[in-house]
Amino acid sequence: MKPIFRRLALGLSAMAALLTASGALAQDKQVNLGVAIPAATHGFTGGIVWWANEAKKELEKQHPGLKITVKTAANASEQANQLQDLLTVNKINTLVVFPFESASLTRPVAQVKSKGVYVTVVDRGLTDTSAQDAYVAGDNTAFGRIPAEYLAKRLNGKGNIVALRGIATTIDNERMDAFNAVLKNYPDIKLLDARYANWNRDDAFKVMQDYLTRFKQIDAVWAADDDMAVGVLKAIEQAKRTDIQEVFGGAGSKGMVKTILEGKNKLVQADVSYSPKFIYEAIKLTAEARLKGEALPPKTIIPSVLITKENAQQFYFPNSPF
């Protein structure tokens, strides 16, 4: 072979090797992202499901190297099984998980992470943070602190309160701890009871019926979710109780924000923001970081703020499912 052709052949070989390496690099940047979330059993999780699918639709269109698989679960055991399917059937290399429950999902998520999958946990934290790479949530401390401060002021530091908790999760504990921490500063406010109502309006209706039977004087209710607040209001209306001055929900659903805006119900004057859109943000942040081969900060917290008639318009999204 003549020297010029030999140099050409070597050059072509080098170019082929470079193209092969470039192809391999592009292959490495492929992100197969699984999203595991609770099913739409109430308004807030309905919003979670809607925003997760919006993220899939928009982000796959923007990023050809991204594939997103969304799975919804009606209970913790179903979600644990879905995590295994995402790993073995869908072959994910990245996971965004909104745990149905904290304790029961910690080990299944840890097992996925042990296979080299990058894990972002959203909202309901795990009991062992070593099972995750990143955590994205609303400000659950503020979610509990803000209603306590508001109700204490509304009651002038004196009265009886009942509370309705969500599901036994780390975020529910954070909220309740923050609520109780504020009330410690008000010795004349008594928290009569705080029971789980599973962020569900029907369960909240039953819990509130029990409270109304057991307690003859209730001045305010903290129903730590707007769906639960709906059930509480229904129970109060049916019982024809007039002692209750305020029902404070949570998460800023469009129905509750509209009620505040229009002054439809004197018992509902305020709320606290906690939009389900953070699942969209978590998926977007995770996908775009992994496409670059980067990691998210260990913790990303989205602020929660007090919603009143004065600022409610900023939090009213009529086209949202929640």
Side-chain angles (χ1 to χ4, degrees), residues 124-160:
R124 302 176 190 174
L126 302 175
T127 54
D128 179 2
T129 55
S130 69
Q132 68 197 32
D133 293 288
Y135 177 66
V136 178
D139 189 342
N140 288 291
T141 298
F143 190 98
R145 172 180 53 79
I146 287 170
E149 291 173 345
Y150 176 87
L151 292 175
K153 184 177 180 180
R154 181 89 158 85
L155 299 178
N156 295 315
K158 185 176 182 179
N160 294 332

Side-chain angles (χ1 to χ4, degrees), residues 13 44 172 266:
S13 296
F44 185 79
D172 183 81
K266 67 178 183 179

Side-chain angles (χ1 to χ4, degrees), residues 18 34 50-51 61 85 113 146 150 184 221-222 234 312:
L18 181 62
W50 190 81
W51 280 112
K61 186 177 180 180
D85 286 345
K113 186 174 184 293
I146 287 170
Y150 176 87
K184 285 180 181 178
V221 183
W222 179 42
K234 183 179 178 182

Side-chain angles (χ1 to χ4, degrees), residues 73-297:
N75 53 58
S77 60
E78 183 181 8
Q79 189 174 54
N81 290 334
Q82 288 178 350
L83 291 177
Q84 284 302 308
D85 286 345
L86 284 168
L87 185 64
T88 59
V89 178
N90 300 102
K91 308 294 185 184
I92 63 167
N93 54 25
T94 306
L95 172 68
V96 174
V97 57
F98 186 122
F100 200 96
E101 295 173 355
S102 295
S104 57
L105 266 301
T106 296
R107 186 175 178 185
V109 173
Q111 289 173 340
V112 172
K113 186 174 184 293
S114 72
K115 301 300 183 182
V117 175
Y118 184 91
V119 175
T120 297
V121 172
V122 184
D123 192 56
R124 302 176 190 174
L126 302 175
T127 54
D128 179 2
T129 55
S130 69
Q132 68 197 32
D133 293 288
Y135 177 66
V136 178
D139 189 342
N140 288 291
T141 298
F143 190 98
R145 172 180 53 79
I146 287 170
E149 291 173 345
Y150 176 87
L151 292 175
K153 184 177 180 180
R154 181 89 158 85
L155 299 178
N156 295 315
K158 185 176 182 179
N160 294 332
I161 295 176
V162 293
L164 291 85
R165 304 180 63 168
I167 293 173
T169 54
T170 57
I171 66 163
D172 183 81
N173 291 338
E174 289 174 28
R175 294 171 176 182
M176 196 72 228
D177 289 347
F179 189 84
N180 285 329
V182 172
L183 293 192
K184 285 180 181 178
N185 300 319
Y186 298 91
D188 292 328
I189 293 181
K190 185 176 182 181
L191 181 61
L192 300 175
D193 202 351
R195 289 174 51 195
Y196 293 107
N198 306 312
W199 293 310
N200 180 281
R201 67 179 63 186
D202 294 331
D203 292 347
F205 175 76
K206 294 172 186 175
V207 170
M208 193 63 202
Q209 279 186 319
D210 176 67
Y211 285 165
L212 292 168
T213 301
R214 290 163 52 207
F215 305 119
K216 300 307 176 186
Q217 178 65 38
I218 299 173
D219 298 294
V221 183
W222 179 42
D225 176 85
D226 287 338
D227 266 7
M228 292 198 298
V230 171
V232 166
L233 290 166
K234 183 179 178 182
I236 293 170
E237 181 183 7
Q238 286 193 4
K240 295 183 170 57
R241 288 281 288 266
T242 58
D243 49 323
I244 298 159
Q245 301 175 41
E246 185 102 18
V247 174
F248 195 112
S253 71
K254 65 180 181 182
M256 204 60 71
V257 172
K258 187 177 182 181
T259 297
I260 293 168
L261 268 172
E262 298 178 353
K264 288 181 177 180
N265 191 324
K266 67 178 183 179
L267 295 180
V268 180
Q269 300 295 322
D271 206 327
V272 60
S273 67
Y274 200 91
S275 172
K277 191 184 177 184
F278 60 61
I279 192 69
Y280 179 102
E281 302 299 338
I283 296 168
K284 178 180 171 65
L285 288 169
T286 303
E288 293 182 348
R290 299 313 293 162
L291 284 164
K292 297 174 185 175
E294 298 174 355
L296 294 181

